[in-house]
Amino acid sequence: MASFEEIEDNTGVRLSWNAWPTSRIEATRLVVPISAMYTPLKERDHRPFQYEPIACKSCRGILNPCCQLDFRGKIWTCALCFTRNQLPPHYSDISPTQMPPELMQEYLSIEYILNKPPSNPPIFVFVVDTCLREEDLKSLKDSLIVSLSLLPQNALVGLVTFGTMAQVHEIGFSECPKSYVFRGSKDYTGKQIQEMLGLAGQQRSQQPVRPGQPLPPSAPGFTRFLQPVAECEFNLTTILEQLPLDPWPVPSDKRPFRCTGTALAVTIGLIEAAYQNAGARVLLFAGGAATEGPGQIVGNELREALRSHHDLEKDTAKHCKKATKFYDALAKRCTEKGITVDIFAGCLDQIGLMEMKSLVNTTNGFIVLADSFSSSIFKQSFTRLFNKDRDGFLKLAFNATLEVQTSRELKICGLIGPAISANKKAPCVGETEIGISGTNAWKFCGITPATSCAIYFEVAPQVQSFQPGTYGVIQFTTLYQHSSGQTRLRVTTIPRVWAEPTNPCIAASFDQEAAAVLMARIGSFKSEVDDGPDVLRWLDRMLIRVCQRFGTFVKEDPNSFQLAANFSIYPQFMFHLRRSSFLQVFNCSPDETAYYRNVLMREDVNNSLIMIQPTLMSYSMEHPPQPVLLDSVSIQPNVTLLLDTYFQVLVWHGETISQWRRAKYHENPTYVAFKEMLEAPAADAIDILSERFPVPRYVDCDQGGSQARFLLAKVNPSTTHNTAAGYGGSGQAIPTDDVSLQVFMEHLKKLSVATS
């Protein structure tokens, strides 16, 4: 049987349970719900097929390898609703030895290019903060000018700048720089913005434009502000090169006036007036917090501190609720029009990401947190946003709709991911609500090959019993606008066996890695509305119930407790999840918490596991590079460690190694082995940094240095200032009162074997 990773490579799906109980009650006793991590546009070797898919006349499910075929009568039976359908005439030559790709097992996931007119070219609007330091603004302008060469030549671009005022630049006017200025302190409606820009009633219809061809001749007002890259690159480059800092003076005891909210509202109003659902991205570059107008999160007096988690708990953050309400309303407008918002922060302090998070979370935008716009984190991340596929098209796709259908024994509980409900209620929608629920279809304003979502299911209350050994089927259909202008449909069909509740194959089918990530998503989703301690208690209860259900033990004897191999690491994942920044807000600003949760909500199983339980590699003169326990006993003076937390990549040198390094032994030809040992973790770190988006923060530190705290905060504290060495070895003592994994497991065993 294929491994979980091989199935994921082929289909983009990983399930918590790969065999399902035939009873609804038994399904609830599994504790971890039947659920799937799905990457709709996962990159595969297979090319898309340029013909229309065949749909069931009853449920609109797509023909797939799970359907039963009558070769003689040329009839296929839908695997979802069991309706018999006639095959179309061009399938008349079908036979067991001659079948179309959609009926072959290797095409459980298949992509079609639909016969629809090309969609309008994508829109990119840069929203640039001018309240920056001079070198920061220069670096940002350079990055924006470079990005123009990375965009498709037919893509429409626009520029909005903001400081004390918001300015919409007329890039179609080449004689001199010309812009429309909006007062930063005023809240404008969409209609007011369109009237002031001279765009009222001039919305462009969805007329097809072939990629590479200019727009049809017409003179609507918005072509002054949004033009194809091929036509406006020189003008836009000139405007950017001459872009000045915000001219309003800033006293030393005040923050600059920054109208981020007004600038975003004006940008969204401009796109609304120009196109409906054309596929647009708003790229916000913010160098600080909004200090005036709608969306303000802090006053301009420096003595007024930015809100912290403590202020939010005490309800003393005076701007928070009003700003959040404003950005939520903007997010709703974005999702209605298919606009994705990306936020690039170039600032050491917070910019108001917590209030703005709905703009990114509901539109599937990206967040990049950098210290400045001249940092490599920003520059590399911004460039990677425009990565291209093997055919030279952007990997960004637009206006996707994911629809999930199930065979009649399964019901859909909901989705947790960067999407909104499409409000489509089908018979397969269940009563239990998890995440975005009450629908079997969800809309993504933007989507990439890395976007992953979690979908949760329940076993339906059975009208009549169904036979063990038969298969239940889940079908995912993703309709989206490819960056080439094509409309494509990705169809993934997943069959899984129904089994008797007592059948050991159910427990054997458990995927503990996928289950940990799926439970982490529920925990992170709950954390947005519930108190932190309540979420931790819920997580603990779920873990205890899993151990009671699937552990083998003698009652009241903790030493007898054992878990099967495919459950054994699950408690460890839960231990690290409890300590993670997704559920713990200690030592994090509200902006950082919003950022961490945003990334968790869109990444796949492997990346999410690195966030939950970071990986630790050890390099030494005595042994080749090897993975070691994420534990304080691994912190030894004679090793170099490489820690990957997904958000940071840290190379840590033990005390002995750092002394040798300071003595410059690696520069002595006699110690070439030591030089190679020092270079190995740095090379591995570069490999990680080169593949990831956004680019992680790279840290190089020595034992006892200030930045070694990043490592000490993540390892299991089995050796602390008041305990003996754990795991029988000596390691660095961690100054913490946190419970270690060993103590956590002892308590878990006691609670699992207790009779009550």
Side-chain angles (χ1 to χ4, degrees), residues 50-82:
Q50 200 148 7
Y51 57 85
E52 297 288 317
I54 296 169
C56 171
K57 63 188 178 187
S58 175
C59 69
R60 308 306 298 164
I62 306 298
L63 181 64
N64 61 77
C66 304
C67 295
Q68 294 179 355
L69 283 172
D70 176 357
F71 292 104
R72 185 170 294 177
K74 301 294 182 278
I75 288 171
W76 65 280
T77 304
C78 177
L80 300 168
C81 67
F82 303 114

Side-chain angles (χ1 to χ4, degrees), residues 640-643 649-653 678 681-682 685 698-702:
T640 294
L641 297 174
L642 174 63
L643 176 76
V649 175
L650 179 134
V651 176
W652 176 95
H653 303 282
L678 279 183
Y698 178 67
V699 179
D700 189 300
C701 65
D702 293 332

Side-chain angles (χ1 to χ4, degrees), residues 605-679:
V605 172
N606 289 334
N607 286 340
S608 299
L609 280 177
I610 294 171
M611 299 177 214
I612 295 166
Q613 181 175 317
T615 60
L616 192 63
M617 292 287 292
S618 174
Y619 303 78
S620 164
M621 301 290 284
E622 286 85 37
H623 57 73
Q626 60 185 28
V628 290
L629 292 167
L630 185 67
D631 193 283
S632 56
V633 298
S634 300
I635 301 177
Q636 302 289 345
N638 63 338
V639 300
T640 294
L641 297 174
L642 174 63
L643 176 76
D644 179 9
T645 71
Y646 192 84
F647 304 104
Q648 290 133 359
V649 175
L650 179 134
V651 176
W652 176 95
H653 303 282
E655 194 174 353
T656 306
I657 303 291
S658 57
Q659 285 171 357
W660 292 351
R661 206 163 60 131
R662 282 195 293 271
K664 297 190 172 9
Y665 285 179
H666 56 290
E667 295 176 7
N668 187 331
T670 314
Y671 301 107
V672 67
F674 176 62
K675 181 186 177 185
E676 289 172 357
M677 194 274 285
L678 279 183
E679 290 171 348

Side-chain angles (χ1 to χ4, degrees), residues 100-231:
E102 63 262 38
L103 292 172
M104 299 178 186
Q105 282 299 318
E106 59 264 38
Y107 288 98
L108 281 168
S109 191
I110 186 169
E111 186 158 307
Y112 301 94
I113 298 173
L114 303 185
N115 186 22
K116 290 190 175 182
S119 52
N120 281 315
I123 301 168
F124 295 87
V125 182
F126 301 129
V127 184
V128 180
D129 182 357
T130 56
C131 297
L132 302 172
R133 290 177 299 129
E134 194 165 346
E135 61 270 26
D136 241 19
L137 183 61
K138 183 181 184 309
S139 182
L140 175 56
K141 291 193 293 188
D142 291 344
S143 295
L144 293 174
I145 291 166
V146 168
S147 73
L148 295 178
S149 64
L150 304 174
L151 290 170
Q153 289 298 291
N154 68 326
L156 302 176
V157 289
L159 177 66
V160 176
T161 59
F162 68 96
T164 309
M165 306 287 183
Q167 300 182 46
V168 183
H169 292 263
E170 193 172 304
I171 55 178
F173 191 77
S174 56
E175 281 72 18
C176 66
K178 182 178 175 184
S179 61
Y180 288 68
V181 181
F182 292 79
R183 183 176 297 179
S185 56
K186 189 174 176 184
D187 191 357
Y188 296 92
T189 64
K191 190 176 179 184
Q192 284 175 319
I193 291 163
Q194 289 157 21
E195 285 173 353
M196 292 173 78
L197 292 173
L199 304 177
Q202 292 194 356
Q203 189 176 87
R204 178 182 285 279
S205 63
Q206 277 278 61
Q207 291 176 349
V209 180
R210 293 195 176 277
Q213 285 194 349
L215 292 167
S218 64
F222 63 79
T223 55
R224 293 172 293 148
F225 309 107
L226 299 173
Q227 288 206 331
V229 173
E231 294 177 20

Side-chain angles (χ1 to χ4, degrees), residues 82-101:
F82 303 114
T83 302
R84 287 166 63 80
N85 299 273
Q86 191 72 42
L87 284 167
H90 59 275
Y91 277 62
S92 58
D93 295 336
I94 196 170
S95 70
T97 56
Q98 188 175 347
M99 289 200 293

